[in-house]
Amino acid sequence: MEELNLFEYAQKQLDTCAEILDLDPGVHAILRVPMRELHISIPVKMDDGTTKVFQGFRVQYNDARGPTKGGIRFHPEENVNTVRALSAWMTWKCSLLNLPLGGAKGGVICNPKEMSERELETLCRGYAYRVSSIVGPDKDVPAPDVYTTPQMMAWMMDEYSKTVGSHKFGVITGKPLSVGGSAGRGDATARGGMITIREAAKELGIDLRKATFAVQGFGNAGSFAAHLAVSMFGSKVVAITDSRGGIYNADGLDTEAVSEHKAKTGSVIDFPGSTPISNENILELDVDVLVPAALENVITEKNAAKIKAKIIAELANGPTAPDADDILHNNGVHVIPDFLCNAGGVTVSYFEMVQNFYMYYWEEEEVHKRLDKKMTPAYHSVLETSKTYNINMRVAAYVVAIERVVESMSDRGWV
Ligand code: GLU
């Protein structure tokens, strides 16, 4: 099978928007490629005595608006084009939320599920050491992403601090609270997504107390999304999947009990009282809100026409292929695009940076309030732009985000 080149998706989306905005060709050319990338090899002495070399990347896409920001993924199928695409999306995401940050992304090709804690720590420290010349609190600030955790962020912060010889909590976000983490970072991605769903439901006249949800993916974003759908709105979560399969119950699943089941067995599958559902079929369920919260490229031109959900809230990065967007738009599905829907994570990461800089920490409630004040206007700016230009929500999000990046490039005298 031909390897999916996610960066081509990202470039295609940008090109569509460049046309609408009538972007200057030089500006368009700058925005089409990453500004800088580092490829590294990280040797790790494994528990069995052998040495393995892991390949890693850090791609800094555009820093016109400030230090670059974006997570690090550990995944067996990671490749540099995926990291490039994700770094572009981080640029648009930070801009859309009006954060004073550019975009970046990191990745390591590895399978953390098959590695011991000691091997993972060595890999994290090796990564942090090798990117130390290009990251820093006022240069580029990584964070967690797929299969990376607050503990891993703590190891990387520690290694970077040792390398430069002083405490640098602000070099990375998503850390545990004991080492400069922010209250409210844990569920921030899901909570931000819920805020956009709340606003979308108002727009569409959907009563969320009676709404049904299907959640694809039960990692950090997906599991919190399922819990918050119940606790914030009183909605019913009827289906959940993870990488091994899924569960369905038309009367609603007890999401807390599902989490306990997953903690015990390693998966949501075989949850008592549920029937099995696949990762493909969950997307086609007749629900009010579909939340793709796993990996990229799951909604394509092959299944887009079969989607019955009224709202697609993209908590994952890149779940929808470009060809699927028009189909969804024509069918009246309200898509909350990824770099709007999942921007809660980086927004609270930005709050974490601010708190690290001034060494004073906020209460969780304060974080929630500030998150709402960022997400709600971002959603409405996209909605208004989509109505003004009569374009779909994703293209509208691009228009808002790109206009701001271009303004910064122009004010800095780059173009
Ligand atoms: N990995 C998250 C994202 O894709 C968060 C990035 C960050 O906090 O810097 O938005």
Side-chain angles (χ1 to χ4, degrees), residues 167-330:
H167 292 285
K168 288 283 189 250
F169 282 7
V171 70
I172 207 160
T173 58
K175 302 179 293 292
L177 288 177
S178 61
V179 283
S182 173
R185 178 65 182 85
D187 70 4
T189 306
R191 189 173 290 274
M194 290 299 134
I195 294 168
T196 63
I197 292 170
R198 181 193 69 202
E199 295 306 303
K202 276 188 218 158
E203 170 70 16
L204 302 177
I206 295 172
D207 180 356
L208 284 174
R209 285 170 305 183
K210 296 192 191 120
T212 49
F213 276 64
V215 182
Q216 187 199 44
F218 208 59
N220 174 282
S223 60
F224 280 121
H227 300 322
L228 290 173
V230 177
S231 66
M232 281 173 72
F233 307 138
S235 305
K236 228 185 328 188
V237 178
V238 296
I240 295 173
T241 57
D242 64 22
S243 57
R244 293 215 230 144
I247 52 177
Y248 175 79
N249 183 339
D251 295 328
L253 295 158
D254 176 343
T255 62
E256 297 290 346
V258 174
S259 275
E260 281 164 29
H261 177 79
K262 179 160 180 157
K264 254 191 257 152
T265 65
S267 172
V268 300
I269 55 175
D270 298 328
F271 179 69
S274 70
T275 50
I277 187 164
S278 69
N279 265 299
E280 291 76 41
N281 290 343
I282 192 173
L283 300 169
E284 296 167 20
L285 280 178
D286 190 1
V287 288
D288 295 297
V289 186
L290 171 65
V291 184
L295 290 174
E296 52 277 352
N297 203 39
V298 293
I299 300 170
T300 64
E301 57 179 348
K302 289 201 191 97
N303 60 2
K306 295 188 207 144
I307 286 185
K308 299 175 200 75
K310 298 185 182 77
I311 297 174
I312 298 181
E314 296 183 341
L315 275 189
N317 284 310
T320 305
D323 296 335
D325 263 330
D326 289 335
I327 302 171
L328 296 171
H329 186 63
N330 292 338

